[in-house]
Amino acid sequence: MKAEAGWRARARYAFDKSMAGGAVALIGWLGLISLIVIILAGLFLSLTGIAPEGGEPVGFIEGAWESLMRTMDAGTMGGDMGWSFRMVSLFVTISGIFVFSALIGVLSSGLENKLDELRKGRSRVLEQDHTIILNWSPSIFDIISELVIANQSRRHPRIVIMANRDKVEMEEEIAAKVDNLKNTRIICRSGDPTDLYDLSIVNPQTSRSIIVLAPEGDDPDSQVIKTVLALVHDPKRRQERYMIAAEIRDAENAEVAGIVGGGELQLVLADDLISRIVVHTSRQSGLSAVYSELLDFDGCEIYTLEVPALTGKSFAASVMAFENCALIGVCDRNDAVHLNPLPNRVFEAGDKAIIIAEDDASIGTWGEDIKLDREAVIAPVKHPNQAEHTLMLGWNRRGPIIARELSRYVAKGSHLTIAASTPEFESEIDALALPVDNMTVTHRVVDTSSRSALDTLDIDSYDHVLVLGYSDHMNAQSADTRTLITLLHLRKIAERAGHHINVVSEMTDVRNRELAEVTRADDFVVSNKLVSLMLAQASENPYMSAIFAELLNEEGSELYMRPVTDYVSIDRPVNFFTIAYSALRRGEIAIGYRRLRDNDPDERNLGGVVVNPHRAPAMTYQPEDMIIVLARD
């Protein structure tokens, strides 16, 4: 038989349970002790008739009041006379000192614990229409900067961030790296974005959009997929759809992520996006500026909206209907994206126009007569593709993707040489399989930051030189520093050779791009920046992921830079309407130009690139100027 606990054990157990209640329980016990002391002292004074010397005996109420005053203020007994009354007052005062000292300690400790809890960022967010960013990565600062620009037209915009980091550290790092938050307020919370309870802290039920970053560390994609799973399948989730933009590193995980997120998720395949842009830019210098212009919120953006005035018009006629916008595609009633569709495709009711514009308020059809200089239009010219020899310096996880993507575009007989010195480099090259046989691949194990090693590569014999960062094996700053050293060596090699070498470099941190300008490379692809821009845009435009998937797909229409002399005669000024008309005759859409002039303003450092120019004013072009077009090949 089990022995029953005695009354002392039960009383102790009850006391322990009450003490576990925290500061409130402690305050209750101290209040009870004070009340007992005051009542006992009042009864003792009233029953014994003890009174101050020269005074009259007091009743229970007056005795209790006198005891309360001495409990709250030890100095009150200083004026008491008579030793009997003094001894009672001394007992009450000592009890009061003990109680109030303990009370002050409890209140101080409780307040400190509450402040610690607030610093930990565990209180629930009660915002409405806010943007949520889950997880932490170097991309977060550029995302915040872009969202700040997008939020300028909104009232009381909020960005709520949750990551497995200290709340104060996150706030301090954001304050140091994001210059001006304008009218946007940042709210940080510490927690695990894969945990349902922690997710409830940031209140996704009332959010405007949600961005899920790939965190730093091992297997980031699994963290992203689990976070999306927790959001979409939360039993307490809202009825209406979420707008989620998530970053996935490995394209092999995209299918699983798509199944988990369904129609509420836009995937940004970070490595795939960067690799494709690197390849396009390496073959056509200046394209990275075009992609940056389309992705950031400062300048022209891509909008998807219904334009009733286009209903019943052909796509070709609709392209020519705008003076300050560039129509590039259609999103049909099934939400399928079609960039540069057939010219005779007719806009139907419910179709959305995909338009490049400065802002959505400026989108409107041109109401005046279109002036075309048809005599300046040149008949379509087809340039045969030539075999290309490309040198890739450096290696990271995007190297295999870049090699495979490059093989899809180059002419037959092309060659790629890869030079790097990472530990797994040779085994990864041996495992490299190209989708087509247009290009052969060789490799050299060399230190790409060594001038003597670079001299052995005969660099000036290549058509294109592509410099990748060692971002998988170093932190961002160290990888960019090594890239800068390589670029400086390439500059000296080009000066010694006496002719220009086409160099495109990948950078990790956008802050190092300005330093890299001194190397005189043709173009820079800033990987973290591009991923940040894409995620920010996807959180605002539900079609952005599909648009860029089409834009960067070799089977669809892509961006090209082609000589202006392929489209119009440049012996006289022509307007962009005429260039757009000439491009339409070739099945292309002209969206901008690149003019390198010393006196032309380039405040946004786009290398002379202008996207979505006004079409009516006539301009003078030179043979080296390029037209930016959306074309199928």
Side-chain angles (χ1 to χ4, degrees):
M1 294 181 61
K2 296 181 180 179
E4 292 188 5
W7 68 269
R8 290 185 180 181
R10 288 195 297 270
R12 180 179 293 277
Y13 178 66
F15 178 75
D16 290 345
K17 283 198 301 181
S18 67
M19 292 298 287
V24 174
L26 290 172
I27 292 172
W29 277 109
L30 292 172
L32 179 63
I33 293 171
S34 299
L35 183 63
I36 292 172
V37 169
I38 291 168
I39 290 174
L40 289 177
L43 285 172
F44 183 77
L45 289 175
S46 64
L47 293 175
T48 60
I50 295 175
E53 189 174 301
E56 297 181 359
V58 295
F60 171 73
I61 299 299
E62 184 66 24
W65 176 258
E66 293 288 342
S67 300
L68 175 62
M69 292 299 99
R70 284 155 181 78
T71 300
M72 295 180 66
D73 182 7
T76 305
M77 69 167 291
D80 292 342
M81 302 296 291
W83 282 106
S84 297
F85 191 79
R86 283 176 175 171
M87 293 302 296
V88 175
S89 298
L90 179 63
F91 169 75
V92 172
T93 300
I94 291 175
S95 300
I97 290 173
F98 166 77
V99 169
F100 274 89
S101 297
L103 181 62
I104 291 170
V106 168
L107 291 175
S108 176
S109 176
L111 182 60
E112 185 176 349
N113 290 337
K114 187 64 178 177
L115 291 175
D116 285 341
E117 184 180 337
L118 291 174
R119 282 194 292 267
K120 289 176 182 176
R122 299 294 295 169
S123 59
R124 191 168 186 266
V125 172
L126 298 178
E127 299 292 341
Q128 302 281 333
D129 200 39
H130 54 294
T131 299
I132 298 173
I133 302 177
L134 301 174
N135 294 321
W136 188 272
S137 81
S139 302
I140 196 168
F141 309 107
D142 291 321
I143 293 174
I144 293 172
S145 298
E146 290 302 311
L147 291 176
V148 165
I149 297 172
N151 286 339
Q152 289 184 78
S153 59
R154 298 195 182 105
R155 294 187 61 187
H156 311 301
R158 300 288 186 265
I159 299 174
V160 179
I161 300 169
M162 170 175 277
N164 273 315
R165 287 170 60 100
D166 181 74
K167 171 181 179 290
V168 176
E169 288 180 2
M170 289 191 285
E171 291 172 339
E172 290 176 349
E173 197 165 352
I174 290 169
K177 294 184 179 180
V178 181
D179 294 334
N180 186 1
L181 294 175
K182 298 181 181 179
N183 64 328
T184 299
R185 182 185 171 195
I186 305 294
I187 300 168
C188 294
R189 291 292 182 266
S190 296
D192 181 1
T194 65
D195 183 87
L196 284 174
Y197 174 78
D198 285 3
L199 275 179
S200 68
I201 292 175
V202 296
N203 197 10
Q205 319 296 339
T206 61
S207 66
R208 170 187 177 84
S209 60
I210 303 170
I211 298 173
V212 185
L213 298 178
E216 296 176 290
D218 297 332
D219 200 13
D221 286 354
S222 64
Q223 297 294 311
V224 172
I225 292 171
K226 189 177 179 183
T227 299
V228 174
L229 181 66
L231 284 167
V232 174
H233 297 281
D234 183 355
K236 299 178 181 178
R237 62 154 296 164
R238 70 189 188 192
Q239 292 297 318
E240 58 268 29
R241 290 155 60 100
Y242 285 125
M243 191 169 176
I244 306 172
E247 175 188 0
I248 291 289
R249 295 273 180 85
D250 191 340
E252 292 183 357
N253 296 320
E255 184 178 358
V256 175
I259 293 171
V260 169
E264 299 176 274
L265 175 66
Q266 286 194 85
L267 283 178
V268 176
L269 304 179
D271 288 346
D272 198 58
L273 172 74
I274 296 165
S275 301
R276 290 175 183 265
I277 292 178
V278 165
V279 168
H280 290 206
T281 303
S282 68
R283 303 181 68 243
Q284 301 177 87
S285 175
L287 271 186
S288 70
V290 180
Y291 289 115
S292 296
E293 176 71 355
L294 294 177
L295 283 171
D296 70 17
F297 288 102
D298 189 9
C300 292
E301 305 166 44
I302 298 176
Y303 294 91
T304 309
L305 73 169
E306 290 190 41
V307 182
L310 300 182
T311 302
K313 287 186 176 182
S314 68
F315 184 79
S318 300
V319 168
M320 300 299 291
F322 297 94
E323 194 275 337
N324 63 340
C325 309
L327 175 66
I328 62 172
V330 181
C331 182
D332 63 27
R333 285 173 291 183
N334 297 320
D335 290 339
V337 169
H338 309 277
L339 295 184
N340 189 22
L342 294 175
N344 59 357
R345 187 195 194 281
V346 175
F347 270 91
E348 299 176 357
D351 286 349
K352 299 181 181 68
I354 303 173
I355 296 177
I356 299 173
E358 190 168 346
D359 56 67
D360 53 357
S362 68
I363 297 175
T365 54
W366 181 243
E368 302 180 23
D369 292 335
I370 297 174
K371 296 180 180 180
L372 295 178
D373 186 354
R374 296 180 186 272
E375 294 181 0
V377 175
I378 293 176
V381 179
K382 188 72 174 178
H383 298 288
N385 290 334
Q386 302 289 332
E388 303 173 24
H389 297 273
T390 304
L391 172 65
M392 185 189 299
L393 298 174
W395 190 253
N396 56 37
R397 66 177 182 272
R398 289 181 285 275
I401 307 174
I402 291 172
R404 289 192 294 267
E405 187 69 15
L406 186 62
S407 69
R408 299 178 190 272
Y409 289 95
V410 296
K412 197 170 185 65
S414 297
H415 183 77
L416 171 65
T417 301
I418 306 174
S421 58
T422 58
E424 305 87 7
F425 172 56
E426 291 190 274
S427 60
E428 290 177 356
I429 291 295
D430 292 338
L432 181 63
L434 301 182
V436 291
D437 59 356
N438 292 341
M439 183 179 76
T440 56
V441 179
T442 58
H443 70 281
R444 297 270 302 276
V445 178
V446 299
D447 180 3
T448 56
S449 62
S450 167
R451 173 61 184 274
S452 59
L454 292 175
D455 284 336
T456 65
L457 296 175
D458 193 20
I459 288 174
D460 57 336
S461 67
Y462 290 93
D463 300 307
H464 313 287
V465 177
L466 211 168
V467 182
L468 297 188
Y470 287 89
S471 52
D472 296 349
H473 308 276
M474 306 176 182
N475 60 46
Q477 295 304 318
S478 297
D480 281 355
T481 299
R482 184 162 180 171
T483 299
L484 286 170
I485 293 171
T486 302
L487 291 173
L488 287 169
H489 287 321
L490 291 176
R491 172 183 168 179
K492 288 296 182 182
I493 291 171
E495 290 175 352
R496 185 191 63 187
H499 67 82
H500 178 73
I501 298 175
N502 180 27
V503 178
V504 171
S505 175
E506 176 196 17
M507 305 293 291
T508 304
D509 194 326
V510 69
R511 292 172 295 175
N512 294 321
R513 190 187 189 284
E514 293 183 5
L515 293 175
E517 296 287 350
V518 300
T519 66
R520 300 177 189 171
D522 294 85
D523 214 338
F524 300 95
V525 176
V526 185
S527 53
N528 282 347
K529 178 74 171 179
L530 286 172
V531 173
S532 304
L533 294 177
M534 186 66 194
L535 285 166
Q537 285 283 355
S539 72
E540 297 289 317
N541 186 339
Y543 303 99
M544 187 58 67
S545 181
I547 290 170
F548 263 78
E550 175 89 0
L551 196 61
L552 294 169
N553 189 338
E554 70 277 2
E555 296 178 359
S557 290
E558 302 164 79
L559 292 175
Y560 293 92
M561 282 192 177
R562 290 175 173 161
V564 66
T565 51
D566 282 4
Y567 297 88
V568 293
S569 173
I570 59 173
D571 57 354
R572 57 187 179 274
V574 293
N575 61 23
F576 206 77
F577 270 126
T578 302
I579 295 174
Y581 172 73
S582 180
L584 275 174
R585 294 181 64 199
R586 301 168 53 136
E588 303 172 357
I589 302 173
I591 67 168
Y593 58 81
R594 186 188 191 192
R595 297 197 334 160
L596 297 175
R597 305 283 193 280
D598 292 336
N599 57 346
D600 280 0
D602 191 15
E603 297 176 357
R604 300 189 56 228
N605 195 26
L606 296 176
V609 166
V610 176
V611 175
N612 185 36
H614 284 273
R615 300 184 171 199
M619 294 180 59
T620 301
Y621 293 91
Q622 295 182 4
E624 64 271 17
D625 295 337
M626 309 292 284
I627 300 300
I628 305 165
V629 296
L630 186 61
R632 292 181 183 86
D633 53 38

